[in-house]
């Protein structure tokens, strides 16, 4: 189950991602926001982070205007590794190396074509499970 969250800056891209996940037959839960009204992005970081930490969802996708604020807020939760990606190389590397559990995107940064490729790369790349990466991830949590 994939947890989705956005503010007004990410709402339009989230609709494209929802259509894409439906096409792929992947299950998701949309934690809002549900329109383009101005909201505070930390609320949606919290909802998606908590869904993952509670085990309700295994991965999340968070989108704001830049992807920056919503990823900063998500990374305040212990056990969350939110990665802001602007290309497929970053999405692949963050899954292989960081076992990122949230993909952050900027709705005003990447177009929908690229964003959907980034989403697919993120969702389809497993963690490498290599000892050095496991060690480094553990060191983040201290
Ligand atoms: C909202 O205007 C904007 O600040 C937000 O979407 C995001 O870009 C913050 O980092």
């Amino acid at each position: 189950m994939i947890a989705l969250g956005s503010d007004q800056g990410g709402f339009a891209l989230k609709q494209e991602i929802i259509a894409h996940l439906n096409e792929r037959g992947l299950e998701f839960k949309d934690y809002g926001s549900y329109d383009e009204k101005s909201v505070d992005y930390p609320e949606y970081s919290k909802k998606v982070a908590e869904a993952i930490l509670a085990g309700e969802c295994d991965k999340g996708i968070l989108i704001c205007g830049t992807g920056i604020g919503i990823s900063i807020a998500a990374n305040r939760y212990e056990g969350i590794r939110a990665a802001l990606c602007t290309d497929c190389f970053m999405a692949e590397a963050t899954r292989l190396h960081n076992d990122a559990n949230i993909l952050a995107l900027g709705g005003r940064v990447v177009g929908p074509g690229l964003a959907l490729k980034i989403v697919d790369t993120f969702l389809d790349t497993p963690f490498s499970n290599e000892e050095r990466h496991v060690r480094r991830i553990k060191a983040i949590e201290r």
Side-chain angles (χ1 to χ4, degrees):
M1 180 72 77
I2 303 158
L4 302 179
S6 74
D7 71 357
Q8 68 278 13
F11 178 77
L13 179 55
K14 190 176 65 180
Q15 303 318 298
E16 304 266 359
I17 292 172
I18 286 173
H20 183 68
L21 296 178
N22 277 328
E23 256 172 48
R24 285 195 54 178
L26 296 175
E27 286 195 308
F28 61 87
K29 188 163 174 205
D30 185 3
Y31 288 86
S33 64
Y34 302 112
D35 56 38
E36 288 186 314
K37 279 204 287 285
S38 181
V39 291
D40 295 336
Y41 57 79
E43 191 184 322
Y44 303 95
S45 303
K46 182 174 196 279
K47 286 178 190 213
V48 167
E50 285 178 348
I52 293 171
L53 295 172
E56 290 160 22
C57 294
D58 27 62
K59 286 197 184 104
I61 302 174
L62 283 171
I63 316 152
C64 67
T66 58
I68 297 172
I70 211 158
S71 59
I72 290 173
N75 278 317
R76 300 299 296 267
Y77 295 83
E78 197 175 331
I80 292 298
R81 292 176 300 282
L84 172 57
C85 297
T86 55
D87 61 40
C88 294
F89 178 82
M90 295 169 83
E92 182 183 46
T94 199
R95 288 292 308 129
L96 289 171
H97 296 192
N98 316 122
D99 197 16
N101 45 16
I102 293 180
L103 168 66
L105 293 167
R108 297 172 184 147
V109 179
V110 288
L114 175 58
L116 298 183
K117 291 276 183 202
I118 294 172
V119 165
D120 284 343
T121 304
F122 183 83
L123 295 178
D124 297 343
T125 305
F127 177 47
S128 67
N129 224 8
E130 286 171 25
E131 192 278 329
R132 69 184 190 285
H133 295 309
V134 173
R135 185 181 69 238
R136 291 164 189 165
I137 291 166
K138 279 194 188 141
I140 295 171
E141 303 292 347
R142 270 170 291 155

